[in-house]
Amino acid sequence: MVVDDHPIWRDAVARDLADEGFAVVATADGVASARRRAEVVQPLVVVMDMRLADGDGAQATAQVLTVSPGSRVLVLSASDERDDVLEAVKAGATGYLVKSASKAELSAAVRATAEGRAVFTPGLAGLVLGEYRRIAQTSGAGPTGPVGPSLTDREIEVLRHVAKGLTAKQIAARLSLSHRTVENHVQATFRKLQVANRVELARYAIEHGLDEDG
């Protein structure tokens, strides 16, 4: 589903995604219409603008996820302001691109979002990582300690790379492992940390300082 208050831009994004093989099941121009249509169509991915007719993208993200909790929201906005990025992420968005992104970059980002990976325009990822680190330092590492419940050295190593946004294929190449072995480590870590997907796993790693080198 594509949510944007500018009809020409909204139609262009929907057309580009359809050309890339995606099924665009709905479009909307605001918070209320996004909620109504998401409740009906239950989209896997929502491409969300931050400036809408009756509110903002953070409000729309929260509303969409209330009625369609299985959806994943990728913000596509003209704004790269810190507050906009953080508000979107806090509302539940799993990625944030600026509108200068190419058609190929948007297509790749939508596919990654559908797979549960966090996608950010270069530069914005560091901003989000820094905010999570600040929150973690304020709240403390929690009762499980700095590494968490019984992770192996290899699982910790894989987790560090997940926190940096690498795909399983990239991690496999860096660690000289098979793609399947990396996926098995990721799934084992999901179970041990009781997280549902790579976004939550990366968040755990960031909160516990595992995105740092070393």
Side-chain angles (χ1 to χ4, degrees):
M1 184 169 79
V2 178
V3 183
D4 196 296
D5 66 335
H6 290 95
I8 293 175
W9 180 266
R10 183 175 66 243
D11 292 346
V13 170
R15 186 172 57 252
D16 285 349
L17 291 175
D19 289 346
E20 292 296 315
F22 296 101
V24 180
V25 294
T27 61
D29 65 356
V31 177
S33 59
R35 179 187 173 111
R36 286 196 306 272
R37 287 166 193 171
E39 187 170 19
V40 173
V41 301
Q42 299 288 304
L44 176 57
V45 176
V46 180
V47 178
M48 178 74 70
D49 190 19
M50 282 300 286
R51 301 285 180 264
L52 300 174
D54 57 352
D56 61 45
Q59 294 170 320
T61 294
Q63 290 290 318
V64 165
L65 295 177
T66 296
V67 298
S68 181
S71 296
R72 293 164 179 154
V73 178
L74 171 67
V75 171
L76 180 64
S77 174
S79 170
D80 61 358
E81 292 295 321
R82 174 183 181 277
D83 288 348
D84 283 339
V85 179
L86 295 180
E87 285 302 312
V89 172
K90 288 173 183 176
T94 57
Y96 197 110
L97 289 185
V98 294
K99 286 185 174 179
S100 57
S102 68
K103 180 178 177 179
E105 287 171 333
L106 174 59
S107 176
V110 170
R111 292 188 194 283
T113 301
E115 294 168 3
R117 289 188 277 130
V119 181
F120 290 91
T121 294
L124 299 186
L127 186 158
V128 175
L129 289 174
E131 179 69 5
Y132 278 135
R133 195 175 298 120
R134 183 190 66 75
I135 293 170
Q137 287 169 348
T138 301
S139 61
T144 57
V147 176
S150 64
L151 298 184
T152 67
D153 289 344
R154 180 62 86 183
E155 286 167 352
I156 293 169
E157 192 172 17
V158 170
L159 183 52
R160 289 185 191 279
H161 287 86
V162 171
K164 295 173 184 174
L166 273 66
T167 65
K169 188 173 182 180
Q170 291 169 326
I171 295 170
R174 288 201 180 192
L175 301 182
S176 300
L177 299 171
S178 71
H179 179 276
R180 175 55 56 194
T181 298
V182 170
E183 286 289 354
N184 288 341
H185 283 310
V186 170
Q187 292 303 322
T189 307
F190 282 0
R191 290 191 299 272
K192 289 181 180 180
L193 302 181
Q194 297 182 321
V195 296
N197 56 42
R198 280 181 174 76
V199 176
E200 292 185 24
L201 189 63
R203 185 171 300 177
Y204 176 94
I206 293 159
E207 288 173 348
H208 290 77
L210 297 181
D211 60 311
E212 301 285 1
D213 291 325

